[in-house]
Amino acid sequence: MRNYAAITIGPIGDTLAIAASPGTLWCASTMFSYLAGDLCENILAEITGAEIIVPAYNRDIVYTDGIGRFHDRIFFTCEMERGMLEEKLKKLCTDVKNTLAGHISDALGERSEKDRARTQAYIAGYVQLSWMVADGSAAEANGDNCILNLSPYLDYMELSAQGLPEETDSPIVRLLSGTADGSNFYIHHRREGKTNACWLIPKNPSNAFQLLKGNAVRDIGNIANPYGLKDGRKIHSYFAVVQSDGDNIGTFLSSCPPERVREFSKCCIEYAGTAAKLVGDYGGLTIYAGGDDLLFLAPVEGKGGKNLLTLCSEISQEFEKRFEALGKALGGAQTPTLSFGISVNYEKSPLYEALEDAKRLLFSEAKEGKKQQIALSMHKHSGKSVFLLFPNCGAEKTPMKKLIDLIDTSAKKQTDKTDAVLHSILYQIETFRTLFTTSYENHKNTQDLYDNLFDSAAHDMGRSYINKIKALGDVIAAFPDCSADNEKNGITHEPVDVLTSMLRFAKLYTEKGVRE
């Protein structure tokens, strides 16, 4: 009888929380992806006839872009007797922990056996590898695949995992904190003409490798303005933390029979690679791309003037395209979608706060209720904030598409008066919000309202821009699920409040002035 094994890997969230820079955040995430890869490699080498189901691991693939694609869970099957399999798993988990400890000791420059033994002991307690073994009747009960049947047990193991060892000078903290020379010192540094890189840095990185800029690890300033633009706009002082997650993945998996679940895993791996490439081409830095999860840092405006929402739209299209094809092959399974949490912050804002904000936006806002939504917050250096929630849909007559059109128009027609015109429009809409509210509530054509309120010579110069704003407001009125909070009226579904909040976000693309 075939037996199945499932492994969960942690503590990823707690480790990411230690990171204080893009480089250490990347290191913390990639470390666990490489650990998953080592586990897969050892499973195939040590367990005769093992077949890995998740992730879609291929020992012949050598990643040179430094993007971790291996998820924090592994599922595999084999013919090995249960007791022997359990003994093998104990040894494999110990071996990969010791391998990781050796890498960390090397990165920290530890030479004495005492120091290396201390690091090994710490990693043995710090890294949480929980696993279970089940026979085929349990793993494929009710005709479902092993992911659906075994995942609840892994969920329980994660919730009941032992606390992390307490140590003020832990090897993980030292690795991610670095030295007085910089927080990335143990990850990658250059001294006396020589470059020292940790085991996670590809030895021959491809052009898709996103972590380094020349011989230096990218910092938040480079994330915010990767191309060194000096056009006077404040947007180059802001960065975004973006986290996305698949919607209704469990429902999709329920239509995936046991013999085809590997196709789902392969679909996830391929999507992750494509999404990471889109992020890299835009100018961002992928932190992880595992399964249907994605986390990256990015400029608010990327290469060629592309805006952040356009990037999210492209990522969504790739996700849906790949899973739609698989869904058809499975007999018409409903295609899963993506939800996003986006936190836009000033470059000197703490990275850990932006990470927590993006996570909250995704799981407490975007994935609540209808899902397939984008929850976006913008925190200005001035202290002002904006919150937006709208459907993640790039079809022509949707708020997202109209907002993208507006931002693109402002970028193409960038003049010294663009920001002044937008400021004037915002002021007028807020001053006459009652008129706008009445028009939207009664489904009236707002053309006359715009013609009367924006009839000055200055407005004539920005007429096409004003028309884009009108189109955005009209579409918002047709989507009652949109909401906003611009610190004036609290959380509201009122179209006029959603419109003004979207305009405040769009205004970031036009504001000029010295770097804040």
Side-chain angles (χ1 to χ4, degrees):
M1 176 183 290
R2 295 192 73 82
N3 283 311
Y4 287 75
I7 306 171
T8 180
I9 303 167
I12 297 177
D14 290 327
T15 308
L16 293 180
I18 300 173
S21 70
T24 55
L25 187 64
W26 173 88
C27 176
S29 172
T30 306
M31 179 170 63
F32 285 99
S33 178
Y34 276 53
L35 179 65
D38 286 345
L39 266 172
C40 290
E41 183 70 18
N42 287 3
I43 288 167
L44 293 176
E46 298 292 332
I47 299 177
T48 304
E51 297 178 13
I52 295 176
I53 300 168
V54 175
Y57 181 78
N58 185 334
R59 71 176 72 198
D60 296 325
I61 296 176
V62 178
Y63 295 115
T64 59
D65 53 15
I67 296 164
R69 288 180 178 81
F70 300 134
H71 202 247
D72 59 351
R73 290 186 173 182
I74 298 172
F75 297 82
F76 73 93
T77 181
C78 67
E79 296 283 357
M80 185 174 286
E81 183 270 330
R82 184 185 185 116
M84 185 178 296
L85 177 57
E86 290 176 343
E87 288 301 316
K88 280 284 187 182
L89 282 171
K90 289 179 184 177
K91 181 179 184 302
L92 290 179
C93 289
T94 299
D95 288 347
V96 295
K97 287 185 181 184
N98 289 342
T99 298
L100 175 61
H103 287 313
I104 292 175
S105 287
D106 290 341
L108 295 175
E110 294 178 337
R111 296 290 179 264
S112 74
E113 289 301 319
K114 181 179 179 180
D115 287 341
R116 296 181 74 88
R118 175 175 167 274
T119 293
Q120 181 173 306
Y122 182 85
I123 295 302
Y126 183 88
V127 174
Q128 298 169 352
L129 299 179
S130 302
W131 51 268
M132 64 168 295
V133 174
D135 59 31
S137 61
E140 297 183 353
N142 304 315
D144 289 330
N145 58 65
C146 64
I147 300 177
L148 288 177
N149 284 322
L150 302 184
S151 288
Y153 297 98
L154 297 185
D155 294 339
Y156 176 78
M157 290 176 182
E158 290 177 358
L159 290 173
S160 59
Q162 64 182 18
L164 298 177
E166 293 185 11
E167 190 169 340
T168 56
D169 187 32
S170 81
I172 294 289
V173 171
R174 281 190 287 141
L175 176 70
L176 299 179
S177 299
T179 67
D181 297 70
S183 59
N184 301 308
F185 183 82
Y186 294 122
I187 300 168
H188 181 280
H189 68 272
R190 190 170 178 81
R191 175 177 286 179
E192 297 177 353
K194 295 182 179 180
T195 299
N196 293 309
C198 73
W199 80 103
L200 299 170
I201 306 285
K203 291 190 170 45
N204 296 297
S206 69
N207 292 331
F209 188 48
Q210 303 168 7
L211 179 66
L212 303 180
K213 183 75 172 181
N215 281 317
V217 176
R218 298 174 66 185
D219 57 16
I220 285 294
N222 182 267
I223 298 292
N225 187 13
Y227 304 105
L229 299 179
K230 298 180 180 179
D231 56 14
R233 286 184 295 154
K234 294 181 181 179
I235 195 170
H236 304 309
S237 297
Y238 285 81
F239 72 98
V241 175
V242 183
Q243 188 168 356
S244 70
D245 185 68
D247 303 316
N248 303 313
I249 292 295
T251 301
F252 186 83
L253 266 172
S254 65
S255 65
C256 201
E259 67 273 10
R260 304 197 67 171
V261 72
R262 288 186 184 85
E263 294 177 49
F264 169 81
S265 180
K266 182 180 179 182
C267 195
C268 289
I269 288 285
E270 292 175 344
Y271 155 71
T274 302
K277 185 178 186 307
L278 286 170
V279 172
D281 290 345
Y282 176 83
L285 171 62
T286 302
I287 301 303
Y288 66 71
D292 58 305
D293 301 329
L294 181 66
L295 174 66
F296 63 90
L297 310 181
V300 187
E301 181 179 87
K303 187 175 182 178
K306 182 185 292 186
N307 72 71
L308 187 61
L309 294 179
T310 296
L311 172 63
C312 293
S313 178
E314 292 174 350
I315 291 172
S316 298
Q317 290 170 26
E318 283 294 331
F319 182 84
E320 292 174 20
K321 179 177 69 176
R322 292 182 183 278
F323 283 94
E324 181 180 20
L326 179 57
K328 289 179 179 178
L330 294 173
Q334 183 178 355
T335 304
T337 56
L338 278 181
S339 289
F340 286 84
I342 304 174
S343 181
V344 175
N345 299 269
Y346 182 59
E347 62 183 354
K348 288 184 170 53
S349 301
L351 181 57
Y352 73 90
E353 290 184 1
L355 284 165
E356 284 298 315
D357 192 36
K359 181 180 179 180
R360 176 190 63 82
L361 289 166
L362 175 61
F363 293 107
S364 299
E365 301 289 351
K367 292 182 72 67
E368 285 291 306
K370 293 184 68 174
K371 300 185 180 181
Q372 194 182 357
Q373 299 185 104
I374 289 180
L376 182 151
S377 67
M378 177 181 70
H379 306 283
K380 299 292 291 294
H381 181 50
S382 61
K384 295 180 180 179
S385 295
V386 166
F387 165 78
L388 287 164
L389 180 67
F390 52 92
N392 177 26
C393 180
E396 185 59 36
K397 293 185 178 180
T398 60
M400 182 174 179
K401 180 63 167 63
K402 296 303 180 183
L403 180 55
I404 288 173
D405 289 347
L406 178 65
I407 292 172
D408 288 345
T409 298
S410 66
K412 291 175 182 176
K413 295 181 177 295
Q414 189 64 235
T415 68
D416 291 339
K417 295 184 178 180
T418 303
D419 187 54
V421 170
L422 181 51
H423 182 81
S424 171
I425 295 170
L426 260 169
Y427 176 80
Q428 290 284 73
I429 292 175
E430 290 177 337
T431 300
F432 296 97
R433 71 184 313 275
T434 302
L435 293 178
F436 282 93
T437 299
T438 301
S439 295
Y440 292 138
E441 287 178 347
N442 294 285
H443 308 289
K444 298 292 186 181
N445 189 329
T446 57
Q447 188 62 59
D448 290 341
L449 185 57
Y450 274 86
D451 288 343
N452 284 311
L453 289 177
F454 308 116
D455 58 355
S456 70
H459 291 139
D460 287 338
M461 295 175 62
R463 187 60 55 190
S464 63
Y465 195 50
I466 294 172
N467 290 338
K468 296 283 185 182
I469 294 174
K470 175 189 177 301
L472 175 60
D474 291 346
V475 167
I476 290 171
F479 283 79
D481 291 327
C482 293
S483 60
D485 183 355
N486 61 8
E487 297 185 330
K488 289 188 176 182
N489 302 304
I491 298 292
T492 172
H493 295 281
E494 290 291 337
V496 65
D497 292 318
V498 176
L499 174 60
T500 55
S501 293
M502 285 190 172
L503 294 182
R504 291 187 183 282
F505 175 64
K507 195 171 183 291
L508 184 62
Y509 286 82
T510 65
E511 288 180 315
K512 290 195 173 185
V514 297
R515 289 174 68 87
E516 294 177 309

